[in-house]
Amino acid sequence: MDALHVGDMDIAYAEVLSTGDDLLLVKLMERSGPTVDQLSNEITDEVLHFISQCLVEHNLFDLCLSWIQQLVDLVMENGPNILGIPTEIKNELLLNLNEDSLAMDAPEDWEGATSAQLLDQLASAWAIDLQHFVK
């Protein structure tokens, strides 16, 4: 957490990810807010994987949505390959976001796009056909 205080998000996230402590990672994500644009591609991949797992468990929904919203904004502004996210992480995130959009509504105080809207925007930007996610 010391790295967070001096503003080095990448080091802060790398240190927390190396501990394997999910609770500490959540605390860091809450404290820093979405920082996808400040992380290395490798750290971004790990954080997005964690976020997709949180979506499946339906906990931390609003935290996940805020990070996904920032991801959508970055991808829409800078192109689909801006962060070099591997296809398997893209697919995992879209699959879990799809399941989430069918199962849950955004919190009442949520002011951003819905999970269904974020899903559509990411799938479109990444040119991934959502039909293969339909069961």
Side-chain angles (χ1 to χ4, degrees):
M1 289 293 201
D2 291 336
L4 179 62
H5 295 294
V6 296
D8 194 334
M9 294 298 151
D10 207 51
I11 291 174
Y13 276 88
E15 288 176 359
V16 170
L17 286 165
S18 71
T19 69
D21 186 336
D22 290 349
L23 183 58
L24 187 58
L25 180 56
V26 168
K27 286 182 181 183
L28 177 59
M29 291 172 70
E30 288 173 336
R31 180 172 282 161
S32 72
T35 57
V36 174
D37 58 337
Q38 299 175 42
L39 303 175
S40 67
N41 290 353
E42 180 182 322
I43 300 299
T44 296
D45 292 348
E46 290 185 55
V47 171
L48 290 176
H49 174 71
F50 177 76
I51 288 170
S52 72
Q53 296 306 305
C54 288
L55 286 170
V56 171
E57 297 171 14
H58 302 293
N59 61 350
L60 307 171
F61 187 67
D62 53 343
L63 177 68
C64 293
L65 283 184
S66 66
W67 280 74
I68 294 169
Q69 179 67 63
Q70 187 190 45
L71 174 63
V72 167
D73 293 345
L74 287 170
V75 169
M76 299 304 275
E77 291 172 15
N78 301 294
N81 299 317
I82 183 67
L83 300 169
I85 301 167
T87 303
E88 60 268 5
I89 291 178
K90 290 177 181 178
N91 285 334
E92 176 185 41
L93 187 59
L94 291 176
L95 174 65
N96 293 343
L97 195 54
N98 181 56
E99 289 179 15
D100 194 62
S101 71
L102 298 173
M104 291 187 67
D105 294 323
E108 287 187 26
D109 60 345
W110 178 250
E111 296 180 10
T114 66
S115 54
Q117 292 168 326
L118 295 171
L119 171 68
D120 289 341
Q121 291 172 332
L122 275 179
S124 175
W126 286 336
I128 296 176
D129 183 7
L130 291 176
Q131 291 300 322
H132 70 276
F133 294 132
V134 178
K135 294 179 181 176

